[in-house]
Amino acid sequence: MPILLFGKRDLDLIIGKKHVTIRKLWKTPLYVGDRLHCYWNIVSKEREKLFEAEVTSVTIVTIEELRNNIDLIQELGYKNVSELDVDFKRLYSDHLNNDDKYQVVRFRKLPLNKWDGPIIDQKNMIIKKADLLFDLGKYDSSVTCYNAALEYDEDDVYILNRLGDNLTRLGDFDGAIKSYKRALRNDSENEYIYNNIAITLLNNNRPEEALKYSNRAFNLNLNNLTVLYWRGIILEVLGRFESALRIFDKLLLLDETNHEAWNERGTILNMLDRSEEALYSYDKSLELCLDEDKDFGTWASKGNTLLDLERYGDAIKCYNKALKINNQNAIVLNNKGVALMELNEFKKALDCFKKVLIQDSDNSDAQILHDVCLENL
């Protein structure tokens, strides 16, 4: 029973856009009419069946013949010889002599009722691959898979919603909204989809429209934590700080462990000139957050709050915490330099501004502050 294994590079084969592949010549070659059992082996050692197929043609070629046949190279899915060579070196490092032989296999997928082995749910299989590609950040490939899955069920709400998520991340905001609205036609009471439209509109710099969809999501479920979070963000962007604060307070009553909500609450309180309360919120966020990369922004924001309160030594401690996570951030370096200047530590401040100017010699803030330090040394 001939078996072919496919990975993420074979996406067009998996979803049926391509029906030709190439393999090192086996001891027992493939022949026309052979039944293929095709499996997916991406990331995991586990293998999952994709489809069964029948071989329609087999052509034996040497590496030299293949490299000289650009039409075949492109039919196999490679842009050029260089791309083919890179892939073959990875897959067949010990079979790259000019006379090494490979079999080019063309096949047709068999309908489920013609399979010898167990039947699979092809739609769910494709969705699973799409979800995995999405989680890996392969959004272009994931979109292709979700579109392929829609061919089995064009009204599937889950697929349409996930397709919208992909398109948003690719910057295709109109396409994402169109996909979300198609999903709503089949599930008009889904607050998550209304919220996803709101997020997409916000990312597209359309916060007033975003709020309208947030209203729909909020009215469907007043206690949905995800909806509340993004509603607070939208109100914050619109400058409606008191309303945003009420939303984050409501969210934290429902889940006091949400470090992102505490962080945003701190930012809003700063906007309302309630700096001491903001510090408490930042401390709660830092206490609850277990992701050091996310701590960076909170340490920086807390430092800025302390700087405004003229608590320069404490501000510098916060900036140092932030710079341990990202020691090249120009804004934090500049702000730390300002705090040091206020303490008459001009030499240390000068070092901060030099670091900024090494990265960006046109940084006007760093240039001015650098010169002020020199004047005071």
Side-chain angles (χ1 to χ4, degrees):
M1 180 181 71
I3 294 175
L4 293 183
L5 300 180
F6 293 134
K8 61 184 179 181
R9 70 186 181 90
D10 301 305
L11 185 60
D12 285 347
L13 285 161
I14 293 166
I15 64 176
K17 289 180 65 177
K18 191 171 66 175
H19 297 87
V20 58
T21 187
I22 188 167
R23 294 290 191 274
K24 182 178 64 176
L25 183 62
W26 298 342
K27 186 175 181 180
T28 303
L30 288 170
Y31 295 98
V32 173
D34 279 347
R35 174 71 58 99
L36 299 176
H37 292 253
C38 302
Y39 289 81
W40 172 272
N41 66 338
I42 190 170
V43 178
S44 170
K45 293 181 180 179
E46 298 177 1
R47 295 175 182 175
E48 182 178 352
K49 190 170 184 178
L50 292 168
F51 56 84
E52 291 185 21
E54 180 182 343
V55 175
T56 57
S57 79
V58 180
T59 305
I60 308 299
V61 296
T62 65
I63 285 285
E64 184 176 23
E65 290 169 337
L66 177 59
R67 287 184 176 133
N68 289 323
N69 190 337
I70 188 61
D71 290 336
L72 178 57
I73 288 172
Q74 293 178 346
E75 185 185 3
L76 291 167
Y78 300 103
K79 294 178 182 176
N80 49 46
V81 176
S82 297
E83 191 174 284
L84 176 130
D85 283 342
V86 168
D87 200 33
F88 269 47
K89 284 177 184 177
R90 179 176 63 84
L91 294 170
Y92 307 113
S93 58
D94 55 342
H95 291 275
L96 295 175
N97 296 318
N98 282 341
D99 57 352
D100 284 332
K101 293 181 179 180
Y102 287 77
Q103 50 190 346
V104 177
V105 181
R106 293 176 176 81
F107 59 85
R108 66 179 184 88
K109 286 186 177 181
L110 294 172
L112 294 176
N113 60 0
K114 298 292 185 181
W115 285 22
D116 290 337
I119 304 300
I120 63 166
D121 185 333
Q122 288 188 304
K123 185 185 84 169
N124 286 337
M125 180 274 295
I126 294 173
I127 290 173
K128 186 182 291 187
K129 306 317 163 196
D131 288 345
L132 180 56
L133 290 164
F134 179 89
D135 292 339
L136 291 171
K138 307 290 187 180
Y139 302 122
D140 281 321
S141 298
S142 189
V143 163
T144 302
C145 274
Y146 285 126
N147 279 322
L150 284 174
E151 293 181 10
Y152 293 89
D153 183 357
E154 64 181 12
D155 296 322
D156 188 294
V157 171
Y158 177 82
I159 300 172
L160 290 166
N161 185 51
R162 293 289 280 181
L163 179 59
D165 294 344
N166 270 260
L167 294 170
T168 296
R169 284 159 177 78
L170 291 169
D172 183 1
F173 301 119
D174 290 338
I177 291 169
K178 182 179 178 181
S179 187
Y180 289 135
K181 287 183 176 180
R182 282 178 62 190
L184 285 173
R185 287 201 293 268
N186 300 292
D187 188 2
S188 61
E189 301 296 302
N190 190 319
E191 72 259 27
Y192 288 100
I193 299 176
Y194 284 109
N195 188 62
N196 285 341
I197 295 177
I199 295 169
T200 303
L201 289 166
L202 182 65
N203 287 332
N204 198 22
N205 197 29
R206 295 153 67 183
E208 291 286 357
E209 293 176 71
L211 184 59
K212 293 178 182 177
Y213 282 93
S214 178
N215 289 340
R216 297 289 298 274
F218 183 63
N219 289 333
L220 285 166
N221 187 346
L222 301 177
N223 296 319
N224 184 309
L225 299 180
T226 302
V227 171
L228 286 169
Y229 178 82
W230 284 102
R231 183 172 180 78
I233 296 290
I234 292 166
L235 290 166
E236 182 183 345
V237 170
L238 289 169
R240 296 169 57 175
F241 301 122
E242 293 284 0
S243 297
L245 182 61
R246 286 193 291 271
I247 291 295
F248 283 114
D249 284 343
K250 176 179 174 64
L251 192 163
L252 290 167
L253 280 174
L254 297 169
D255 177 15
E256 63 178 6
T257 67
N258 191 315
H259 69 90
E260 292 178 326
W262 281 112
N263 185 61
E264 289 302 326
R265 184 177 186 271
T267 300
I268 292 165
L269 287 165
N270 267 330
M271 296 294 183
L272 294 170
D273 295 323
R274 294 161 62 179
S275 300
E276 292 293 346
E277 294 175 75
L279 289 175
Y280 174 79
S281 285
Y282 290 137
D283 284 338
K284 288 292 291 183
S285 178
L286 291 166
E287 173 190 331
L288 294 165
C289 183
L290 301 177
D291 186 337
E292 186 180 72
D293 289 339
K294 292 181 179 178
D295 279 348
F296 168 80
T298 308
W299 282 118
S301 296
K302 183 181 178 183
N304 294 341
T305 303
L306 291 163
L307 184 65
D308 289 339
L309 290 170
E310 300 182 5
R311 291 166 55 181
Y312 304 119
D314 291 335
I316 290 168
K317 290 177 183 177
C318 290
Y319 292 139
N320 286 339
K321 291 279 191 178
L323 290 168
K324 280 185 178 179
I325 301 168
N326 180 359
N327 63 9
Q328 300 297 313
N329 188 277
I331 295 174
V332 174
L333 285 167
N334 272 342
N335 289 347
K336 179 184 175 182
V338 170
L340 288 164
M341 290 173 67
E342 294 290 348
L343 295 174
N344 294 320
E345 297 276 0
F346 292 105
K347 185 175 181 181
K348 292 181 180 179
L350 187 64
D351 288 339
C352 291
F353 304 132
K354 284 181 178 178
K355 289 179 182 178
V356 176
L357 292 170
I358 288 172
Q359 301 175 60
D360 178 11
S361 59
D362 295 326
N363 189 303
S364 57
D365 290 337
Q367 288 173 343
I368 293 169
L369 294 167
H370 176 275
D371 293 343
V372 171
C373 286
L374 289 176
E375 292 172 3
N376 286 276
L377 285 177

